Amino acid sequence: MSNNPYLPEHAEVIDIIQETDVEYTFRLDTELEPTFGQFLEVSIPGYGEAPISVSDFGDGWLDLTIRRVGKLTDKIHELKIGDHLGIRGPYGNGFPIDKFKNKDLVIAAGGTGLAPVRSMINYFYNNLDDLKQFNLLTGFKNSESILFKRDIDNWKESIDLLITVDEGTEKWEGNTGLITEYVPQIEISAVSDMEVVVVGPPIMMKYTVKEFKKLGIPEEQIWVSYERKMHCGLGKCGHCKIDDTYICLEGPVFNYSEAKELID
């Protein structure tokens, strides 16, 4: 095996799940063992490399949920079962799930921000006794952009789950509006027992965190995940650097008490 940290390994695609018109989940055969919230560098020779969050993992496999947005991701969406994808990692710091145990956990995820927390949701879904209470808020642009519908069908059986869409249609009979509108509805038994995770577009995270702070949740009990122009994953290229902080090394998961100082 090469000692070159930039050299990817080739992982076979063993399953492909269409989530939406532009988002597919690729299950890869690999022995990599990520933690909740880490990412991989994903590549195809001649098409480039990009950081992709691990959306779930298990013994001998992991999932990457990839949105079609450009040259590399367009090519990835052409892959079929049995094809191979270059991967290296995992990189970054993930969520401190041991800190969440025996607490009231709230996860607020907007759009594709649901992908980086999907594995953690599945973990606690299968280990509900590890939490006192579990609330999940998810928001999407419209009903056609809802991710992981099969997972959601399972989660809502045991988790206090709320889904909202920005734009309602005649086909959508559920909640409408932004996640921020529903944060005040969360029942809080004791602020000291709460841990909050907020993941999504920057503007969504900014205002969702504000709503949780209005409820009296201390910044030290709020966690966010930054997706920011990561490139090498090794803290060498500087693409993701904010001041003295390398997001790929010290993040992508940050406690909000630290993250609030990371102004791009």
Side-chain angles (χ1 to χ4, degrees), residues 201-220:
I203 193 69
M204 170 266 176
M205 290 197 293
K206 176 181 178 179
Y207 287 101
T208 303
V209 167
K210 281 188 175 182
E211 291 300 319
F212 280 110
K213 289 176 66 178
K214 288 179 184 177
L215 296 179
I217 310 301
E219 294 176 348
E220 293 77 13

Side-chain angles (χ1 to χ4, degrees), residues 36 95-103 120 123-124 130:
F36 305 103
F95 294 100
I97 64 166
D98 287 341
K99 187 181 291 287
F100 301 160
K101 293 179 179 179
N102 300 312
K103 299 286 187 69
M120 183 167 61
Y123 171 81
F124 282 120
D130 285 353

Side-chain angles (χ1 to χ4, degrees), residues 44-48 68-78:
I44 295 178
Y47 291 88
R68 190 171 66 241
V69 293
K71 181 179 178 181
L72 173 61
T73 53
D74 286 352
K75 188 63 177 178
I76 292 174
H77 274 235
E78 295 177 8

Side-chain angles (χ1 to χ4, degrees), residues 86-117:
I87 58 173
R88 58 184 179 87
Y91 297 119
N93 289 312
F95 294 100
I97 64 166
D98 287 341
K99 187 181 291 287
F100 301 160
K101 293 179 179 179
N102 300 312
K103 299 286 187 69
D104 293 348
L105 178 63
V106 180
I107 296 177
T112 56
L114 187 56
V117 294

Side-chain angles (χ1 to χ4, degrees), residues 36-98:
F36 305 103
Q38 285 189 304
F39 68 95
L40 301 182
E41 291 289 345
V42 179
S43 61
I44 295 178
Y47 291 88
E49 184 177 59
I52 303 291
S53 297
V54 177
S55 62
D56 204 2
F57 58 90
D59 186 16
W61 61 270
L62 61 76
D63 286 351
L64 301 173
T65 301
I66 299 175
R67 182 180 179 86
R68 190 171 66 241
V69 293
K71 181 179 178 181
L72 173 61
T73 53
D74 286 352
K75 188 63 177 178
I76 292 174
H77 274 235
E78 295 177 8
L79 297 180
K80 298 178 174 57
I81 293 174
D83 289 340
H84 289 77
L85 192 58
I87 58 173
R88 58 184 179 87
Y91 297 119
N93 289 312
F95 294 100
I97 64 166
D98 287 341

